[in-house]
Short mmCIF file of all heavy atoms in Angstrom, two decimals:
data_model
loop_
_atom_site.label_atom_id
_atom_site.label_comp_id
_atom_site.label_asym_id
_atom_site.label_seq_id
_atom_site.Cartn_x
_atom_site.Cartn_y
_atom_site.Cartn_z
N LYS A 2 22.89 15.98 -24.67
CA LYS A 2 21.82 16.26 -23.79
C LYS A 2 21.77 15.23 -22.71
O LYS A 2 21.90 14.01 -22.94
CB LYS A 2 20.51 16.14 -24.61
CG LYS A 2 19.27 16.37 -23.79
CD LYS A 2 18.02 16.15 -24.55
CE LYS A 2 16.81 16.32 -23.63
NZ LYS A 2 15.61 15.91 -24.27
N THR A 6 15.52 10.12 -15.61
CA THR A 6 14.13 9.65 -15.39
C THR A 6 14.02 9.23 -13.93
O THR A 6 14.96 8.75 -13.29
CB THR A 6 13.86 8.43 -16.31
OG1 THR A 6 12.52 7.95 -16.02
CG2 THR A 6 14.88 7.28 -16.12
N GLU A 7 12.81 9.44 -13.40
CA GLU A 7 12.52 9.01 -12.03
C GLU A 7 12.31 7.50 -11.87
O GLU A 7 12.18 7.02 -10.76
CB GLU A 7 11.34 9.78 -11.49
CG GLU A 7 11.64 11.26 -11.28
CD GLU A 7 10.53 12.10 -10.72
OE1 GLU A 7 9.52 11.46 -10.29
OE2 GLU A 7 10.71 13.30 -10.70
N THR A 8 12.19 6.78 -13.06
CA THR A 8 11.91 5.36 -12.98
C THR A 8 13.23 4.56 -12.84
O THR A 8 13.16 3.34 -12.84
CB THR A 8 11.11 4.93 -14.22
OG1 THR A 8 11.84 5.22 -15.41
CG2 THR A 8 9.75 5.59 -14.26
N PRO A 10 17.17 4.73 -10.62
CA PRO A 10 17.84 5.40 -9.41
C PRO A 10 18.51 6.72 -9.89
O PRO A 10 19.11 6.79 -10.98
CB PRO A 10 18.88 4.37 -9.00
CG PRO A 10 18.40 3.08 -9.49
CD PRO A 10 17.74 3.40 -10.80
N ALA A 19 22.39 9.31 -18.00
CA ALA A 19 22.79 9.06 -19.34
C ALA A 19 23.05 10.31 -20.10
O ALA A 19 22.51 11.38 -19.68
CB ALA A 19 21.77 8.17 -20.10
N ASN A 24 22.80 9.97 -32.35
CA ASN A 24 21.74 8.89 -32.15
C ASN A 24 22.24 7.81 -31.21
O ASN A 24 21.72 6.71 -31.29
CB ASN A 24 21.45 8.31 -33.52
CG ASN A 24 22.64 7.47 -34.08
OD1 ASN A 24 23.76 7.70 -33.76
ND2 ASN A 24 22.31 6.56 -34.97
N PRO A 33 22.60 -2.07 -8.86
CA PRO A 33 21.34 -2.78 -8.63
C PRO A 33 20.45 -2.15 -7.60
O PRO A 33 20.05 -2.76 -6.64
CB PRO A 33 21.79 -4.20 -8.27
CG PRO A 33 23.02 -3.96 -7.51
CD PRO A 33 23.71 -2.82 -8.29
N PRO A 43 17.47 -7.12 -2.72
CA PRO A 43 17.89 -8.22 -1.96
C PRO A 43 18.19 -9.41 -2.94
O PRO A 43 17.75 -9.43 -4.06
CB PRO A 43 16.63 -8.62 -1.13
CG PRO A 43 15.50 -7.90 -1.80
CD PRO A 43 16.07 -6.77 -2.53
N LYS A 55 17.06 -3.67 -15.56
CA LYS A 55 15.83 -2.94 -15.44
C LYS A 55 16.12 -1.46 -15.38
O LYS A 55 15.34 -0.62 -16.00
CB LYS A 55 15.03 -3.36 -14.14
CG LYS A 55 14.35 -4.67 -14.24
CD LYS A 55 13.63 -4.97 -12.92
CE LYS A 55 12.97 -6.31 -12.91
NZ LYS A 55 12.35 -6.64 -11.67
N ALA A 61 16.66 3.98 -20.90
CA ALA A 61 16.47 3.90 -22.37
C ALA A 61 15.07 4.39 -22.75
O ALA A 61 14.94 5.22 -23.69
CB ALA A 61 16.64 2.51 -22.89
N GLU A 67 14.83 1.79 -26.50
CA GLU A 67 14.57 0.60 -25.68
C GLU A 67 15.78 -0.26 -25.56
O GLU A 67 16.71 -0.16 -26.39
CB GLU A 67 13.44 -0.21 -26.32
CG GLU A 67 13.65 -0.61 -27.76
CD GLU A 67 12.42 -1.19 -28.43
OE1 GLU A 67 11.31 -0.62 -28.18
OE2 GLU A 67 12.56 -2.18 -29.12
N SER A 69 16.39 -3.22 -26.30
CA SER A 69 16.72 -4.13 -27.44
C SER A 69 17.65 -3.43 -28.47
O SER A 69 18.17 -4.08 -29.37
CB SER A 69 15.42 -4.60 -28.13
OG SER A 69 14.77 -3.49 -28.71
N ARG A 70 17.83 -2.09 -28.37
CA ARG A 70 18.67 -1.40 -29.34
C ARG A 70 20.13 -1.17 -28.77
O ARG A 70 20.82 -0.35 -29.27
CB ARG A 70 18.02 -0.05 -29.67
CG ARG A 70 16.66 -0.29 -30.44
CD ARG A 70 16.00 1.01 -30.80
NE ARG A 70 16.82 1.78 -31.71
CZ ARG A 70 16.70 1.70 -33.05
NH1 ARG A 70 15.89 0.82 -33.63
NH2 ARG A 70 17.46 2.42 -33.89
N THR A 74 27.70 -3.18 -24.01
CA THR A 74 27.54 -3.15 -22.57
C THR A 74 28.94 -3.42 -21.93
O THR A 74 29.76 -4.07 -22.59
CB THR A 74 26.59 -4.16 -21.98
OG1 THR A 74 26.99 -5.45 -22.27
CG2 THR A 74 25.18 -3.92 -22.46
N GLU A 90 21.37 -14.74 -16.84
CA GLU A 90 20.38 -13.72 -16.52
C GLU A 90 20.47 -12.59 -17.61
O GLU A 90 19.48 -12.04 -18.12
CB GLU A 90 20.56 -13.15 -15.17
CG GLU A 90 19.51 -12.15 -14.77
CD GLU A 90 18.06 -12.84 -14.70
OE1 GLU A 90 17.95 -13.96 -14.43
OE2 GLU A 90 17.09 -12.04 -14.95
N ASP A 97 19.39 -12.24 -30.32
CA ASP A 97 20.39 -12.21 -31.36
C ASP A 97 20.03 -11.19 -32.41
O ASP A 97 18.80 -11.15 -32.81
CB ASP A 97 20.47 -13.60 -31.99
CG ASP A 97 21.68 -13.80 -32.83
OD1 ASP A 97 22.63 -12.99 -32.79
OD2 ASP A 97 21.70 -14.83 -33.57
N LEU A 110 32.71 -2.37 -5.64
CA LEU A 110 31.72 -1.47 -6.37
C LEU A 110 31.08 -0.60 -5.37
O LEU A 110 30.96 -0.97 -4.14
CB LEU A 110 30.72 -2.32 -7.17
CG LEU A 110 31.24 -3.02 -8.41
CD1 LEU A 110 30.18 -4.04 -8.91
CD2 LEU A 110 31.62 -2.05 -9.44
N GLY A 113 28.69 -1.48 -1.99
CA GLY A 113 28.80 -2.93 -1.74
C GLY A 113 28.10 -3.78 -2.74
O GLY A 113 27.89 -5.01 -2.54
N VAL A 118 26.40 -2.29 -14.43
CA VAL A 118 26.37 -2.47 -15.84
C VAL A 118 26.22 -1.06 -16.50
O VAL A 118 25.40 -0.30 -16.06
CB VAL A 118 25.19 -3.40 -16.33
CG1 VAL A 118 25.18 -3.60 -17.86
CG2 VAL A 118 25.26 -4.73 -15.64
N GLU A 119 26.98 -0.81 -17.56
CA GLU A 119 26.82 0.39 -18.31
C GLU A 119 26.49 -0.01 -19.74
O GLU A 119 26.71 -1.17 -20.13
CB GLU A 119 28.06 1.26 -18.25
CG GLU A 119 29.29 0.70 -18.91
CD GLU A 119 30.49 1.66 -18.97
OE1 GLU A 119 30.57 2.54 -18.02
OE2 GLU A 119 31.27 1.51 -19.83
#
Side-chain angles (χ1 to χ4, degrees):
K2 178 183 176 189
T6 178
E7 292 183 8
T8 58
N24 70 335
K55 284 181 184 178
E67 55 190 42
S69 67
R70 297 180 64 89
T74 61
E90 187 63 31
D97 195 14
L110 290 167
V118 183
E119 67 177 27

